[in-house]
Amino acid sequence: RFLRNQVALESDLNSRKVRADREMTGESGTLGEVRRAFLHYDFPPYSTGQVRKGGMIAANRREVGHGSLAEKAILPILPPPSAFPYAIRMTSEVTSSNGSSSMASVCGATLALLDAGVPILAPAVGVSVGLVRGSDSNGDESYGLMLDITGTEDHYGEMDFKIAGTERGVTAMQLDVKRPLPLDMVVQAMHLAREGRYAMLDAMDQSAAQSSSGIIQGLKPRQRLKESAPRVEIVRFDPVRKRDLIGPGGAVLKQLEDRYSVSLDLSQEGQCLLYGPDATVVAAAKAAVMDLVANVEEGEVYEGTVIEIKDFGAVVELLRNKEGLLHVSELASVVDARGQPEGNHGLVKTQVQLGQKIKVVCIGVDPVQGHIKLSQKRLLRQGRRA
């Protein structure tokens, strides 16, 4: 019942996204300072048969540029934070290079994301297109396009056109040329790269199915995250209820973290992220958080605890800080109270006891005062009809 309003709360959260992003990033108000996913591209000297002196060698411009290109190709296929609230780190260590290692990193990152269970929007691959031009004995110029060029073809050719994308479109590209190109050559190169992406997607599909023993089919991610992955859950709630989750001096929040061994991250926009090492623990913590921030809804069935007995009925605690009245007329079985020595008070005590857990249905919530009306009788009627 608690998940029913999550879609509406997510829509409300997105409507205030600009203000939330500004709070996260500071004065600039841009998302350039906040990165939830990044790719580490490592191009060591031995990948090209070189040996350098020294220990840790700073990344050169080529390494930074190729890593940035591969990262740009992957970012558009990642799920939104509302659906997958993880920080994602991808690492590509090039062990041997004789071609476009940045485009190979796009393919490898896609396979790694599929194996990790990240619900990517579509698999992405990358390929490079080269060009050679020359003239015959009559002086007529001719040219040829090459797909997936090697280092030699890159050196002696006139173009290195890196194009990465999915089956439906391009996510990133980079063009290096030695002299100007006519537009029709660029168009032909993009068409050739599209055919190359189709062929590479087919090859990756077969390889992924074989290496994963059939778990990954059709380049679809795993249905569940790996057991070794930490767990993150999202709970969205009315921002007014944030104080119920924090408690006086943060006591409630600290109690939840200590009891379930999780970490809670709250936002001003009514979102709670729960981080934990185990799926079972995080699920239990999520249920506890939902009990703290959920509102009692009319027509829903709750299991509550009787905390007080009065002449006119019983007070039942449904959720934390949420109490409802079970009127004497709404008890499961009502008899004449005139035979009871204590009147209605004695009648209620024969039906329920202090500390007893009972199931009730909410039959009304006062929109002004917030008073909650409960019933056992109507719950029994619903059971008979079912």
Side-chain angles (χ1 to χ4, degrees):
R1 65 175 179 266
F2 303 117
L3 300 179
R4 180 179 302 169
N5 295 329
Q6 292 298 292
V7 176
L9 288 170
E10 179 182 349
S11 176
D12 181 60
L13 180 68
N14 292 334
S15 67
R16 293 173 286 178
K17 189 178 189 314
V18 175
R19 182 157 56 92
D21 291 341
R22 187 172 292 111
E23 290 179 0
M24 290 174 58
T25 57
E27 296 298 330
S28 66
T30 65
L31 288 177
E33 302 169 13
V34 176
R35 298 176 62 186
R36 59 177 291 260
F38 45 94
L39 185 145
H40 283 167
Y41 176 88
D42 189 11
F43 195 84
Y46 61 78
S47 63
T48 54
Q50 301 178 7
V51 178
R52 299 178 191 171
K53 294 182 179 180
M56 297 296 294
I57 301 175
N60 53 36
R61 291 196 307 168
R62 179 184 183 279
E63 190 171 353
V64 173
H66 285 191
S68 177
L69 177 63
E71 183 180 86
K72 288 180 180 178
I74 291 294
L75 292 180
I77 69 171
L78 296 178
S82 59
F84 194 76
Y86 283 84
I88 303 173
R89 175 191 175 188
M90 299 159 282
T91 302
S92 176
E93 182 177 350
V94 181
T95 58
S96 178
S97 176
N98 188 23
S100 182
S101 55
S102 60
M103 297 296 95
S105 299
V106 175
C107 302
T110 297
L111 292 174
L113 292 170
L114 294 173
D115 183 60
V118 179
I120 59 176
L121 305 181
V125 295
V127 68
S128 56
V129 180
L131 169 69
V132 289
R133 284 193 288 190
S135 302
D136 56 16
S137 58
N138 297 327
D140 296 331
E141 186 178 89
S142 61
Y143 67 91
L145 295 174
M146 300 175 294
L147 190 66
D148 196 18
I149 60 176
T150 63
T152 303
E153 296 163 341
D154 183 16
H155 178 74
Y156 291 103
E158 299 186 12
M159 179 180 74
D160 183 9
F161 196 4
K162 298 180 176 65
I163 305 175
T166 66
E167 189 176 9
R168 299 182 59 184
V170 175
T171 57
M173 65 173 66
Q174 177 179 298
L175 176 61
D176 297 329
V177 294
K178 296 180 180 178
R179 57 174 171 157
L181 299 177
L183 183 59
D184 59 336
M185 282 189 185
V186 178
V187 174
Q188 293 178 30
M190 296 195 68
H191 282 288
L192 181 61
R194 182 178 60 181
E195 297 178 6
R197 292 202 306 272
Y198 291 162
M200 295 176 69
L201 285 171
D202 292 338
M204 287 172 56
D205 186 11
Q206 298 176 7
S207 177
Q210 294 175 0
S211 61
S212 66
S213 301
I215 296 178
I216 300 176
Q217 293 286 346
L219 292 181
K220 301 293 183 182
R222 292 174 179 264
Q223 296 296 323
R224 297 181 179 178
L225 293 175
K226 281 189 171 181
E227 294 297 330
S228 57
R231 293 299 189 269
V232 180
E233 289 285 351
I234 304 178
V235 177
R236 298 179 182 86
F237 53 90
D238 187 347
V240 178
R241 302 299 304 276
K242 185 178 179 180
R243 60 177 181 270
D244 296 333
L245 188 55
I246 297 178
V252 176
L253 190 65
K254 294 177 182 178
Q255 183 180 7
L256 286 172
E257 292 182 336
D258 294 341
R259 179 179 179 183
Y260 296 100
S261 299
V262 297
S263 297
L264 276 67
D265 184 11
L266 306 181
S267 72
Q268 297 293 338
E269 300 300 316
Q271 178 172 278
C272 175
L273 296 179
L274 294 93
Y275 302 92
D278 181 70
T280 304
V281 172
V282 173
K286 181 179 180 180
V289 171
M290 288 298 233
D291 283 341
L292 289 171
V293 298
N295 291 320
V296 177
E297 299 181 7
E298 185 176 349
E300 294 292 336
V301 178
Y302 298 89
E303 183 177 7
T305 304
V306 179
I307 60 174
E308 190 175 358
I309 296 178
K310 297 181 176 294
D311 292 339
F312 47 83
V315 179
V316 181
E317 184 182 30
L318 304 176
L319 305 174
R320 186 178 180 89
N321 299 328
K322 287 294 181 180
E323 300 173 359
L325 174 63
L326 177 60
H327 195 265
V328 63
S329 62
E330 297 293 340
L331 293 171
S333 58
V334 180
V335 296
D336 191 353
R338 289 178 294 182
Q340 294 290 337
E342 299 180 52
N344 281 343
H345 191 275
L347 173 62
V348 176
K349 289 200 299 184
T350 60
Q351 303 292 318
V352 294
Q353 303 294 326
L354 284 176
Q356 180 183 355
K357 292 187 177 296
I358 58 175
K359 282 190 175 183
V360 292
V361 61
C362 177
I363 60 175
V365 179
D366 190 327
V368 178
Q369 301 293 333
H371 296 159
I372 301 171
K373 300 178 181 180
L374 307 175
S375 174
Q376 277 185 318
K377 186 190 302 183
R378 194 169 303 184
L379 181 61
L380 293 176
R381 291 174 185 171
Q382 294 176 359
R384 294 192 191 101
R385 283 196 293 266

